Amino acid sequence: MKFSIQVNEGPYQHQASDSAYQFTKAALEKGHECFRVFFYHDGVLNGTRLTTPPQDDRNIVKNWTDLAEEYDLDLVVCVAAAQRRGIVDDGEAERNGKDATNIAPRFRISGLGQLVEAAIQSDRLVVFGD
Amino acid sequence: MKFSIQVNEGPYQHQASDSAYQFTKAALEKGHECFRVFFYHDGVLNGTRLTTPPQDDRNIVKNWTDLAEEYDLDLVVCVAAAQRRGIVDDGEAERNGKDATNIAPRFRISGLGQLVEAAIQSDRLVVFGD
Amino acid sequence: MSDTKNFMFLNRRAPYGTIYAWESLEVVLIAAAFEQNVSLMFVDDGVYELTKGQDTTGIGMKNFSPTYRTLGDYEVRHMYVDKASLEARGLTADDLVQVEWEDWETEESVDNIVEVVDSDRVAELLEESDVVFSF
Amino acid sequence: MSDTKNFMFLNRRAPYGTIYAWESLEVVLIAAAFEQNVSLMFVDDGVYELTKGQDTTGIGMKNFSPTYRTLGDYEVRHMYVDKASLEARGLTADDLVQVEWEDWETEESVDNIVEVVDSDRVAELLEESDVVFSF
Amino acid sequence: MSDLHTVNKSPFEKNSLESCLRLSKAGSAILLYEDGVYGALKGTAVENMIASVVADKKVYVLGPDYKARGLDESRIIDGVEVVDYAGFVDLVEANDKVQAWV
Amino acid sequence: MSDLHTVNKSPFEKNSLESCLRLSKAGSAILLYEDGVYGALKGTAVENMIASVVADKKVYVLGPDYKARGLDESRIIDGVEVVDYAGFVDLVEANDKVQAWV
C-alpha cells in the first residue's frame, strides 16, 4: 500500500517526529511504499544538518537521512514554512540573499503542492503533530 | 526594577516569542532594566539569521535584534538546546565540525548557568512558553 | 493528475496563539488550486478562527481572518461548524464571518456556506471524506 | 554571587511526549551547582515524570528517569507531588521512584524526599518560593 | 503580598487555567493572555471558573490579545479588568513574583 | 468500513480524546499513542471515557509508548489491545483512512 506522512513538529521538543520516523520505518520494513514524507509547520526543522544532539541520544535528522538513503525516500520541506523558520538550501539562499545554508542531506525544499499531490496519489495520509 | 525573560518556544509556531518581545519592549519603555533574555527549548530557534518571513508579516528575529541594538539587551541562547536544534555560531561550528553558522546578530550562545544567574540577579523572572 | 478527492480540513485550534490555523489555510488554498473537492470543519477552539472583527494591530501579528471570507471564490463549497463547540463557547452563527459562494458557470449562488451541524453530522462528514488533514 | 534563593521547579508535563521534563531537569542540576535552595513540584501530568520502571528501548529515546533518583546527591532537598494530580491518575506514592538524601557533613539522612502534599500546601509552597521556573 | 499567575492557554483545550485556579492562593492576581483570554468570556461552559473566583482573586485579561481574537469587551465577565502590555509589566512589578502556568 | 482515529495527547492535559470519542462513529478504531496512552489506564478519573466505548469502538494502545512511561500492562482497561509500530501500520492499512486528533 502507498503511504504518505506529514510531520508538523520539529525534532526533540515533541515526540511527533520520532513517532513519524518509527511508523515510516515499520511501514517500509513491512514492504509498503512511502510516496513522500512532507515536513510542515515546525516540522521543517527536521531538515537541518546543523544539529549536534548528545552522544547518548538519538540523532533524529540523521535517522531521516539514513532512512531516505536506504529506501530512496522523498523528504520534502515546505518552502513557506522553511522561510519563516530559517531552513535554507542553495536556491533559497540565492533567492533570499542568505549567506549560509543548513539543509540536511536527502531533504529538499518545495511547495505545498507537494503535500496536496501526496494526499491525492497515496492510499493513506498519516499526520504526526502536537 | 530588574527583569529577566525566559522564552521556551521558537518564532511563529507559538505566540510565546511575540508575547515575550511585546512584554520586554513595554518594560524597557517604562524604564525598567532587562538583565537578560534567555532562550531555552525551541526558544533557541529565535536566534537564527536565516529566516525570511513574508513581507506583510512581522520579522520576529529582527525584532529581537533591533530591540537588543536599541537597549543593549543580552540575548542568550542555551548551548545544549541549540545543539539539539541546530543553532550554531563560529565557536560551535568549530567544536562540532559544522560547515556553516546561522546565529543572528546580537544573540550569543552560552550555558544554562546564564539562566540560573539571571534568576538570582533579577527581581523578576517572567517565563513565556507553550 | 485527473484524480479528484474529497478533502476535509479539520480545524481545532484557536488563531494567533499558534500558527496552525493560518498555515492550514495555506494548504486549503493550494488544494483548491489542484481542483480537489475541499471542505472545512471547525471543531473545538477551531470555531474561534471564524469570529468577526479580529483586530491584531495590538499584537503585531498579521490578521489572516479576511482570507476565510474569500474561500468561496476559491471554490470551497462547504465550511462546517460543530454546534456543540460553538455553544460551549457562548457563540452563535451571528458571531462568525459569512462566506459567499457562486458558481461562475451556472450562476448558482449561496449567501453563506458556513453551516452549523450537530455531532452526528460532524462524524458522518469526517468519515465520508477521502482525506482528513489535521494541523 | 553570594545570593541564595529558594528556587521552585514547577513540573506539569508528562515525559517523552515533549522534551520539557528532560530539559527542565538539566536546569535543576545547574541550579543545584550554583548552590541555590532547589525544590521540585510535580503537578498534573508532571507526576508521570516520577513513575518507576520507565523503559524507552521501544521508542528509541533516552530514558532520563534515573536522573531523578540521583537528585538527593545534588543537594535537592524537596520533591513535592500534588496529591489530587496523583489520585486523578490512579497512582499512589508506591508507583513513584524514591529519592534518598544525605547531608555529608551532619550525616543527617532521609530515606525518601518525595513527599505527597495537598492542594493548599502546593499553593503555599509555590508562594513561599523566591523564583518559580516553568517549562 | 501575593503572586501574579499567568495563563496563556484556552480553558477549553488545556487544563492550565483549572490548575492555576486550584493552586493559587486567595489574593493572587491572575492574567489571562494569548489563547487564555477565552476564559474571560461571559456565557461559556467554563464561565464559572472565572466568575467564581473574582471575589477572592483579581483577574486581568490582556486587551491586545483579546481584541485580536475578535471579541467585544462587553462580553468580559464582570470584575475582570482589561490591561495592555504596560499594564502587564505593572502587574509583574506590583506582585512578588510570577508563576507561569504554561 | 471505518476510520482509524489517532490520539497522542494525555486526556488529563488536553481535550483531544474527548473530541475524538464524541466525533467518531461506532465501529471506528482508536489508537492511543505518545502521551495519549495515559487514557488507557484503569483506575483513573477519566477511565470511563475509554471503558464506556470499548463495546462500540475498538481501542488500541501503542505498546512502546506505554512501556516508555513506566506503566504495567496489567493496568490497561479491559478490551483495549496493545500493538507495536508494525501493528500501527496494519491498522492504517486495514481502515479506510486516518483521522489524527492532534
Side-chain angles (χ1 to χ4, degrees), chain E residues 41-99:
Chain E
L41 272 172
K42 271 188 213 167
T44 75
V46 303
E47 174 181 16
N48 197 47
M49 287 174 71
I50 292 297
S52 66
V53 301
V54 290
D56 286 339
K57 299 171 188 179
K58 182 71 194 160
V59 182
Y60 302 86
V61 63
L62 192 66
D65 275 329
Y66 189 82
K67 283 199 188 70
R69 286 154 181 84
L71 306 163
D72 196 273
E73 289 203 5
S74 65
R75 289 184 156 191
I76 294 178
I77 292 167
D78 296 335
V80 175
E81 190 179 325
V82 180
V83 297
D84 57 9
Y85 286 105
F88 185 174
V89 173
D90 291 342
L91 286 170
V92 173
E93 186 183 12
N95 287 278
D96 286 336
K97 67 176 182 292
V98 186
Q99 298 185 33

Side-chain angles (χ1 to χ4, degrees), chain A residues 6 8-9 40-41 81 84-85 112-113 115-117 119-122 125 127 130, chain C residues 1 3 5 7 13 19-20 22-24 26-27 30-31 34 36 131 133-135:
Chain A
Q6 182 187 324
N8 291 343
E9 300 296 331
Y40 197 38
H41 305 298
R84 277 205 180 90
R85 294 162 180 89
L112 272 176
L115 170 59
V116 173
E117 188 202 25
I120 296 171
Q121 297 294 336
S122 306
L125 174 71
V127 181
D130 175 30
Chain C
M1 286 168 289
D3 312 62
K5 286 189 173 180
F7 278 9
R13 317 263 197 171
I19 204 172
Y20 302 104
W22 184 359
E23 288 189 332
S24 164
E26 306 278 352
V27 185
I30 301 287
F34 271 71
Q36 302 299 301
V131 183
F133 287 89
S134 305
F135 300 95

Side-chain angles (χ1 to χ4, degrees), chain D residues 35-56:
Chain D
E35 303 200 341
Q36 302 299 299
N37 295 327
V38 174
S39 301
L40 280 69
M41 176 69 71
F42 297 87
V43 169
D44 292 333
D45 282 356
V47 304
Y48 286 132
E49 295 178 27
L50 298 179
T51 54
K52 283 192 268 201
Q54 297 179 18
D55 173 5
T56 58

